[in-house]
Amino acid sequence: MRLIAALVLALIGPAYATTLDQALDAYERGELETAAKGFTELSHQGLPLGDYNLAMMHIRSELPRPDLPEAKRLLERAASQRLVRAQLALGQWHEQGLQGKADLRAAAHWYGLAAASGSVDGQVQLATAYYLGRGLAKNMAQAAHWYREAAKAGDVGAQYLIASMYEKGLGVSADLRLARYWYDIAARNGDEAAPAKLKELDQRLAAKPA
Protein backbone atom coordinates (compact mmCIF):
# COMPACT_ATOMS: atom_id res chain seq x y z
CA MET A 1 0.00 0.00 0.00
CA ARG A 2 1.37 3.42 -0.88
CA LEU A 3 2.55 5.66 1.90
CA ILE A 4 0.91 8.69 0.29
CA ALA A 5 -1.86 9.23 -2.23
CA ALA A 6 -0.73 9.34 -5.84
CA LEU A 7 -2.89 12.41 -6.37
CA VAL A 8 -0.18 14.62 -4.90
CA LEU A 9 2.25 13.74 -7.66
CA ALA A 10 0.93 16.41 -9.99
CA LEU A 11 1.51 19.10 -7.37
CA ILE A 12 5.27 18.74 -6.93
CA GLY A 13 6.70 19.08 -10.42
CA PRO A 14 7.48 16.45 -13.06
CA ALA A 15 11.05 15.68 -11.96
CA TYR A 16 10.14 15.14 -8.30
CA ALA A 17 6.94 13.36 -9.28
CA THR A 18 8.83 10.80 -11.35
CA THR A 19 11.27 10.05 -8.53
CA LEU A 20 8.45 9.85 -5.99
CA ASP A 21 6.34 7.61 -8.21
CA GLN A 22 9.25 5.26 -8.76
CA ALA A 23 10.01 5.13 -5.04
CA LEU A 24 6.38 4.41 -4.22
CA ASP A 25 6.20 1.68 -6.85
CA ALA A 26 9.35 0.12 -5.41
CA TYR A 27 7.86 0.25 -1.92
CA GLU A 28 4.70 -1.52 -3.12
CA ARG A 29 6.82 -4.25 -4.68
CA GLY A 30 8.70 -4.73 -1.44
CA GLU A 31 11.93 -3.30 -2.86
CA LEU A 32 12.65 -1.34 0.30
CA GLU A 33 16.26 -0.46 -0.52
CA THR A 34 15.25 1.13 -3.82
CA ALA A 35 12.33 2.92 -2.18
CA ALA A 36 14.55 4.28 0.59
CA LYS A 37 17.06 5.55 -1.96
CA GLY A 38 14.34 7.48 -3.77
CA PHE A 39 12.84 8.93 -0.60
CA THR A 40 16.32 9.90 0.63
CA GLU A 41 17.04 11.72 -2.62
CA LEU A 42 13.79 13.65 -2.33
CA SER A 43 14.46 14.40 1.34
CA HIS A 44 17.89 15.82 0.50
CA GLN A 45 16.19 18.06 -2.05
CA GLY A 46 13.91 19.41 0.68
CA LEU A 47 10.68 17.75 -0.45
CA PRO A 48 8.33 17.20 2.54
CA LEU A 49 6.96 14.00 1.01
CA GLY A 50 10.47 12.60 0.90
CA ASP A 51 10.94 13.46 4.57
CA TYR A 52 7.61 11.93 5.51
CA ASN A 53 8.01 8.64 3.68
CA LEU A 54 11.59 8.17 4.83
CA ALA A 55 10.51 8.86 8.40
CA MET A 56 7.78 6.25 8.15
CA MET A 57 10.31 3.67 6.96
CA HIS A 58 12.40 4.43 10.05
CA ILE A 59 9.36 4.06 12.30
CA ARG A 60 8.33 0.78 10.66
CA SER A 61 11.88 -0.63 10.95
CA GLU A 62 12.06 -1.02 7.18
CA LEU A 63 15.59 0.37 6.97
CA PRO A 64 18.86 -1.42 7.86
CA ARG A 65 19.42 1.04 10.71
CA PRO A 66 16.08 2.38 11.94
CA ASP A 67 16.56 5.67 13.76
CA LEU A 68 13.62 7.10 15.71
CA PRO A 69 15.27 10.46 16.50
CA GLU A 70 15.96 10.90 12.78
CA ALA A 71 12.36 9.94 11.99
CA LYS A 72 11.12 12.61 14.37
CA ARG A 73 13.43 15.22 12.84
CA LEU A 74 12.17 14.38 9.36
CA LEU A 75 8.53 14.50 10.43
CA GLU A 76 9.00 17.84 12.16
CA ARG A 77 10.66 19.28 9.08
CA ALA A 78 7.83 18.03 6.86
CA ALA A 79 5.22 19.30 9.33
CA SER A 80 6.88 22.74 9.38
CA GLN A 81 6.12 22.88 5.65
CA ARG A 82 2.47 22.16 6.44
CA LEU A 83 2.38 18.56 5.32
CA VAL A 84 -0.77 17.39 7.11
CA ARG A 85 0.25 13.74 7.07
CA ALA A 86 3.37 14.64 8.99
CA GLN A 87 1.36 16.65 11.52
CA LEU A 88 -0.92 13.67 12.10
CA ALA A 89 2.04 11.33 12.39
CA LEU A 90 3.59 13.57 15.05
CA GLY A 91 0.29 13.59 16.92
CA GLN A 92 0.33 9.79 16.93
CA TRP A 93 4.03 9.80 17.84
CA HIS A 94 3.44 11.78 21.02
CA GLU A 95 0.17 10.02 21.84
CA GLN A 96 1.83 6.61 21.66
CA GLY A 97 5.09 7.73 23.27
CA LEU A 98 7.32 6.24 20.59
CA GLN A 99 10.44 7.51 22.34
CA GLY A 100 9.33 6.98 25.89
CA LYS A 101 6.49 8.57 27.82
CA ALA A 102 3.39 9.70 25.98
CA ASP A 103 2.90 13.48 25.75
CA LEU A 104 -0.80 14.14 25.22
CA ARG A 105 -0.37 17.90 25.22
CA ALA A 106 2.11 17.71 22.35
CA ALA A 107 -0.16 15.22 20.57
CA ALA A 108 -3.08 17.65 20.84
CA HIS A 109 -0.88 20.44 19.44
CA TRP A 110 -0.09 18.49 16.28
CA TYR A 111 -3.65 17.22 15.88
CA GLY A 112 -4.78 20.83 16.19
CA LEU A 113 -2.55 21.95 13.33
CA ALA A 114 -3.86 19.11 11.16
CA ALA A 115 -7.45 19.94 12.12
CA ALA A 116 -6.98 23.59 11.21
CA SER A 117 -5.70 22.47 7.81
CA GLY A 118 -8.92 20.56 7.18
CA SER A 119 -7.84 17.05 8.15
CA VAL A 120 -10.88 15.06 9.27
CA ASP A 121 -8.69 12.70 11.30
CA GLY A 122 -7.12 15.70 12.99
CA GLN A 123 -10.53 17.20 13.72
CA VAL A 124 -11.76 13.99 15.34
CA GLN A 125 -8.60 13.63 17.42
CA LEU A 126 -8.71 17.26 18.55
CA ALA A 127 -12.41 17.03 19.39
CA THR A 128 -11.75 13.91 21.45
CA ALA A 129 -8.89 15.63 23.28
CA TYR A 130 -11.26 18.45 24.26
CA TYR A 131 -14.09 16.02 25.10
CA LEU A 132 -11.99 13.83 27.38
CA GLY A 133 -9.50 16.41 28.59
CA ARG A 134 -6.59 14.50 27.06
CA GLY A 135 -3.68 16.93 26.85
CA LEU A 136 -6.09 19.88 26.89
CA ALA A 137 -8.52 21.25 29.44
CA LYS A 138 -11.99 19.80 28.90
CA ASN A 139 -13.97 22.11 26.65
CA MET A 140 -17.26 20.77 25.39
CA ALA A 141 -17.89 23.77 23.15
CA GLN A 142 -14.61 23.15 21.32
CA ALA A 143 -15.29 19.42 21.23
CA ALA A 144 -18.67 20.08 19.63
CA HIS A 145 -17.11 22.49 17.12
CA TRP A 146 -14.53 20.01 15.89
CA TYR A 147 -16.87 17.01 15.92
CA ARG A 148 -19.31 19.07 13.86
CA GLU A 149 -16.57 19.98 11.37
CA ALA A 150 -15.61 16.33 11.00
CA ALA A 151 -19.28 15.34 10.75
CA LYS A 152 -19.83 17.82 7.93
CA ALA A 153 -16.85 16.24 6.15
CA GLY A 154 -18.50 12.81 6.38
CA ASP A 155 -16.96 11.12 9.43
CA VAL A 156 -19.65 8.75 10.71
CA GLY A 157 -18.37 8.55 14.26
CA ALA A 158 -18.34 12.33 14.50
CA GLN A 159 -21.87 12.46 13.11
CA TYR A 160 -23.08 10.21 15.89
CA LEU A 161 -21.17 12.09 18.57
CA ILE A 162 -22.36 15.56 17.56
CA ALA A 163 -25.90 14.16 17.50
CA SER A 164 -25.40 12.94 21.05
CA MET A 165 -24.06 16.33 22.11
CA TYR A 166 -27.11 18.08 20.67
CA GLU A 167 -29.36 15.56 22.39
CA LYS A 168 -27.74 16.08 25.79
CA GLY A 169 -26.82 19.75 25.47
CA LEU A 170 -23.07 19.16 25.81
CA GLY A 171 -21.15 22.17 24.52
CA VAL A 172 -24.21 23.27 22.55
CA SER A 173 -27.79 24.18 23.36
CA ALA A 174 -29.89 21.03 23.58
CA ASP A 175 -31.79 20.61 20.33
CA LEU A 176 -33.57 17.35 19.63
CA ARG A 177 -34.25 18.28 16.01
CA LEU A 178 -30.58 18.86 15.30
CA ALA A 179 -29.78 15.68 17.21
CA ARG A 180 -32.24 13.82 14.99
CA TYR A 181 -30.72 15.41 11.90
CA TRP A 182 -27.24 14.09 12.72
CA TYR A 183 -28.44 10.68 13.95
CA ASP A 184 -30.28 10.32 10.64
CA ILE A 185 -27.15 11.12 8.66
CA ALA A 186 -25.10 8.74 10.80
CA ALA A 187 -27.70 6.00 10.25
CA ARG A 188 -27.68 6.57 6.50
CA ASN A 189 -23.90 6.26 6.56
CA GLY A 190 -23.98 2.93 8.33
CA ASP A 191 -23.66 3.66 12.05
CA GLU A 192 -25.20 0.67 13.80
CA ALA A 193 -26.41 2.50 16.92
CA ALA A 194 -27.93 5.49 15.14
CA PRO A 195 -31.19 3.85 13.90
CA ALA A 196 -32.28 3.06 17.47
CA LYS A 197 -31.49 6.62 18.58
CA LEU A 198 -33.41 7.94 15.59
CA LYS A 199 -36.47 5.89 16.54
CA GLU A 200 -36.20 7.05 20.16
CA LEU A 201 -35.99 10.71 19.17
CA ASP A 202 -38.93 10.40 16.80
CA GLN A 203 -41.01 9.13 19.72
CA ARG A 204 -39.83 11.96 21.97
CA LEU A 205 -40.46 14.60 19.35
CA ALA A 206 -43.93 13.21 18.62
CA ALA A 207 -44.77 13.38 22.32
CA LYS A 208 -43.74 17.03 22.66
CA PRO A 209 -46.48 19.67 22.55
CA ALA A 210 -46.64 21.52 19.24
Side-chain angles (χ1 to χ4, degrees), residues 93-104 106:
W93 178 291
H94 289 290
E95 184 177 8
Q96 297 169 7
L98 290 187
Q99 279 189 284
K101 188 177 179 180
D103 186 340
L104 297 181

Side-chain angles (χ1 to χ4, degrees), residues 2 7 11 15 18 24 30 41 48 55 60 66 86 92 102 111-112 123 144-145 161-162 179-180 187-189 197 207:
R2 295 193 175 213
L7 291 175
L11 303 177
T18 298
L24 291 169
E41 178 183 339
R60 295 170 181 171
Q92 293 168 351
Y111 287 140
Q123 290 165 354
H145 169 76
L161 284 165
I162 191 60
R180 187 198 185 284
R188 291 172 186 271
N189 287 329
K197 293 298 299 184

Side-chain angles (χ1 to χ4, degrees), residues 94-172:
H94 289 290
E95 184 177 8
Q96 297 169 7
L98 290 187
Q99 279 189 284
K101 188 177 179 180
D103 186 340
L104 297 181
R105 186 175 183 83
H109 166 74
W110 289 110
Y111 287 140
L113 291 179
S117 296
S119 165
V120 176
D121 289 337
Q123 290 165 354
V124 170
Q125 292 289 352
L126 183 61
T128 303
Y130 277 121
Y131 191 96
L132 298 176
R134 299 183 63 205
L136 296 170
K138 278 190 177 183
N139 188 322
M140 289 301 175
Q142 283 295 309
H145 169 76
W146 290 110
Y147 278 137
R148 186 165 49 245
E149 290 300 302
K152 289 190 293 186
D155 187 272
V156 179
Q159 290 165 353
Y160 186 93
L161 284 165
I162 191 60
S164 176
M165 295 183 83
Y166 275 117
E167 180 186 2
K168 299 172 183 176
L170 295 176
V172 293

